[in-house]
Amino acid sequence: MDNRPHTGITEELTTIAPLLARIPYRQPVSAPEGYFALFTSRMATRVAVVDRQMLPEAALQTLHQRLVAEVPAGYFDAFTRRMLSEVAAPQRTEIFPAWLRNIDEKLQAGLALIFRPRLVWAYSLASTLVLVGLLWFASPDGAACPQGDLLCQLQQIDEREIDLYMRNHADEFSEDAAGSAYNVDDLPAALTAGDIWLNDFTDEELEYLSE
Amino acid sequence: MSDKEILETFHAGQRERAFVMLMEAYQQRIYYHIRRMVKRHEDADDIMQNTFLKIWNGLPNFRAESQLFTWIYRIATNETISFLQHQGRHTAISFEQNELQDDTDYSPSRYVPGDSYEIDEEALLQKLQRAIDTLPDKQKLVFHMRYYDGLSYEQMSEILGTSEGALKANYHHAVRKIEKFLLEND
C-alpha cells in the first residue's frame, strides 16, 4: 500500500525504477516515544510560554513527568524573566567617537599586556631596586662618614649652614674674640723658637694657623 | 490547522499560542527530514531546537511571499547542512551542473525485473537504506525530500534555491542508482 504523501511520485517511480516503486513506503527512522509532545513543551518553555494552559494535554503531562525532574523547580520561569529583563535593558549610548574608542581599546590592551598578573613579582622587585638606587644617589656624598673622621664630616657641611652659623654667632668671630680664642701657650713649640721654617710644619698645623 | 490560521494567531498577538500551533503542525515532518540526514536522534534533537528557535525569532519578519512550510523546511535544511559541515561529515551540497554528470549506464533493458521477482519486504527496506547511503549528499537530500516527504520540484526549488531542472536530474540519477543497487546486491 502506498501511503506516500504525494501519490504522483509512485507513478513517476514506476517508469524509471520499477523495483523501487514496488517497495512499500515507510519512514526509515522513528522518534523516541513521547518525543514530540516533550519537544513542544520544551520549546514552548524556551520561548517564554508562561501560560501552560495553551499547551496540549499530552505535552503538559510529559512536561510534568520529565522536565520537572531534570531541572530545579521554577528554573525556566526565572530564566525567562531574567532573559526578558536583560533584553529589555536600555542599550548603552556611545558618546565617544569611534577613533577615540579605538585608541582607548589599544591602550587598554597594551596596559593589560604590560601588567600581566604573572609579572607582578618581577615588577615589585624592579620597583624596589629602583627606589633603593634613588635613595642611594640622592644622599649628598653617597654614604655617611666614618665615626671620628672630622675632615669628612666638615666637607659634608653645606656652605649655607656655615654662613648661617657664622651669622648667628657673629660675636664669636670678632677680631678680639678671635685673638683671645687662641692661647699662645697652646701653639706648637716651634712657633716660639727664633728660626721657624715653614717646612717644619705639618699640613694640619699650617691649615690650623691659616684659620 | 492551516498556515493562515497560524499566522493570523501570531499577528493577533498570541505569539506563543501560534508557535505551539506551528510546532504541532510541522515538527514531525521536520524531525524526520533532519533525522534522515544526521541519523542520530540526539543530533536531530539539537538541530530541531535550533531550527524552531530560528523560526520563533524569524516569525515576526516572515512575509507570506513563500509558504510557511517551505520557509520552515529551508531553515531546517540549512541547519542540518551547517551541522554536518561542522561535524566534518559533509563538505558542501552543491547543485552545479558539472556535478550532475553521471556516466552510469541506466538503460532499463539491463535490469528491469521480471514479474516473478521475489520481494522480501523487510530485506528490501534495509537494502534501500544501504543504497541511499551510497548516494552523494546532494542526491541523498533531493531523494529524501521527494521520496519520503513528497515535495514537488517547485517546493524543493524554493527551499534549496536551485532550478527545478537540476533537481529533477539529481532525483533521477539518485533513483536509478538506487534501483541498480537493489538489483545488483541480492
Side-chain angles (χ1 to χ4, degrees):
Chain A
M1 190 178 76
D2 188 359
N3 55 353
R4 200 172 271 119
H6 191 285
T7 52
I9 293 170
T10 305
E11 296 158 11
E12 181 185 49
L13 278 178
T14 306
T15 57
I16 55 175
L19 179 54
L20 180 59
R22 292 166 62 184
I23 296 177
Y25 171 81
R26 190 197 296 176
Q27 280 286 355
V29 290
S30 60
E33 190 178 348
Y35 171 73
F36 294 113
L38 176 64
F39 182 78
T40 303
S41 60
R42 283 162 63 204
M43 291 306 298
T45 308
R46 286 188 72 174
V47 299
V49 176
V50 179
D51 182 5
R52 301 281 172 81
Q53 296 302 318
M54 68 180 61
L55 292 174
E57 186 62 29
L60 274 177
Q61 286 176 358
T62 315
L63 179 68
H64 181 70
Q65 290 167 1
R66 298 182 64 175
L67 270 186
V68 174
E70 291 171 4
V71 297
Y75 169 78
F76 289 115
D77 289 340
F79 179 78
T80 303
R81 281 196 298 274
R82 185 155 48 90
M83 292 303 293
L84 285 174
S85 64
E86 284 183 16
V87 300
Q91 297 294 314
R92 190 180 61 166
T93 307
E94 297 290 350
I95 57 173
F96 297 108
W99 63 269
L100 194 58
R101 287 202 305 274
N102 286 340
I103 291 174
D104 181 56
E105 284 170 7
K106 286 176 182 172
L107 190 63
Q108 295 292 340
L111 289 173
L113 188 67
I114 293 169
F115 294 106
R116 283 175 290 184
R118 63 181 178 179
L119 297 178
V120 68
W121 287 108
Y123 285 127
S124 299
L125 183 61
S127 302
T128 306
L129 290 174
V130 169
L131 190 61
V132 169
L134 285 174
L135 288 173
W136 176 273
F137 290 108
S139 64
D141 291 303
C145 292
Q147 194 169 7
D149 189 348
L150 295 176
L151 194 60
C152 174
Q153 290 175 1
L154 285 171
Q155 286 174 345
Q156 289 188 358
I157 297 174
D158 191 79
E159 287 183 4
R160 283 176 299 179
E161 290 180 61
I162 295 170
D163 186 52
L164 185 63
Y165 181 82
M166 289 177 72
R167 286 173 191 274
N168 292 337
H169 299 81
D171 53 332
E172 296 178 16
F173 292 94
S174 63
E175 289 184 3
D176 293 341
S180 61
Y182 301 103
N183 191 341
V184 177
D185 294 336
D186 294 337
L187 292 172
L191 290 176
T192 59
D195 49 352
I196 298 173
W197 299 92
L198 285 176
N199 289 343
D200 294 335
F201 292 100
T202 64
D203 289 340
E204 288 178 0
E205 287 168 337
L206 287 171
E207 190 175 356
Y208 180 78
L209 288 172
S210 68
E211 291 177 351
Chain B
M1 67 198 71
S2 68
D3 289 358
K4 189 182 174 187
E5 280 179 272
I6 293 169
L7 292 173
E8 281 177 356
T9 305
F10 186 85
H11 291 302
Q14 296 180 292
R15 297 176 44 157
E16 291 84 6
R17 182 177 292 276
F19 188 58
V20 171
M21 290 164 66
L22 183 147
M23 283 192 287
E24 289 290 303
Y26 290 116
Q27 63 175 341
Q28 293 198 28
R29 292 178 74 177
I30 295 300
Y31 173 83
Y32 288 122
H33 171 58
I34 295 168
R35 177 77 189 278
R36 283 192 303 263
M37 295 294 288
V38 299
K39 305 293 184 190
R40 292 181 65 239
H41 166 73
E42 289 76 15
D43 294 338
D45 182 46
D46 287 343
I47 298 167
M48 280 281 282
Q49 292 184 54
N50 291 338
T51 298
F52 278 91
L53 279 179
K54 287 198 172 179
I55 291 166
W56 169 252
N57 292 327
L59 262 178
N61 300 320
F62 177 76
R63 302 284 174 264
E65 292 164 357
S66 60
Q67 289 181 8
L68 188 59
F69 171 65
T70 53
W71 178 66
I72 292 170
Y73 217 103
R74 183 163 59 238
I75 293 172
T77 304
N78 289 338
E79 284 295 309
T80 307
I81 291 170
S82 294
F83 172 85
L84 293 172
Q85 285 173 337
H86 280 109
Q87 294 290 309
R89 305 204 309 254
H90 190 287
T91 52
I93 291 184
S94 165
F95 294 91
E96 294 297 323
Q97 193 59 39
N98 58 357
E99 294 181 24
L100 298 176
Q101 301 304 317
D102 189 347
D103 298 330
T104 311
D105 178 11
Y106 292 119
S107 56
S109 59
R110 284 192 60 211
Y111 54 82
V112 168
D115 292 337
S116 61
Y117 193 84
E118 295 293 330
I119 296 178
D120 177 344
E121 188 175 305
E122 200 60 39
L124 266 180
L125 285 169
Q126 290 179 10
K127 199 187 290 184
L128 173 60
Q129 290 312 306
R130 293 205 305 276
I132 294 170
D133 286 340
T134 66
L135 296 175
D137 287 324
K138 59 180 182 296
Q139 290 182 12
K140 196 185 297 179
L141 177 63
V142 171
F143 181 79
H144 281 153
M145 293 171 79
R146 178 85 177 146
Y147 181 82
Y148 287 112
D149 295 334
L151 299 186
S152 66
Y153 291 114
E154 184 183 359
Q155 286 175 314
M156 290 161 66
S157 174
E158 193 176 337
I159 291 164
L160 298 171
T162 311
S163 70
E164 290 185 32
L167 291 168
K168 281 180 185 173
N170 267 284
Y171 181 70
H172 281 237
H173 284 309
V175 164
R176 287 174 182 248
K177 280 181 185 174
I178 289 168
E179 184 83 348
K180 186 181 178 187
F181 185 96
L182 294 174
L183 288 165
E184 291 182 350
N185 292 273
D186 289 331

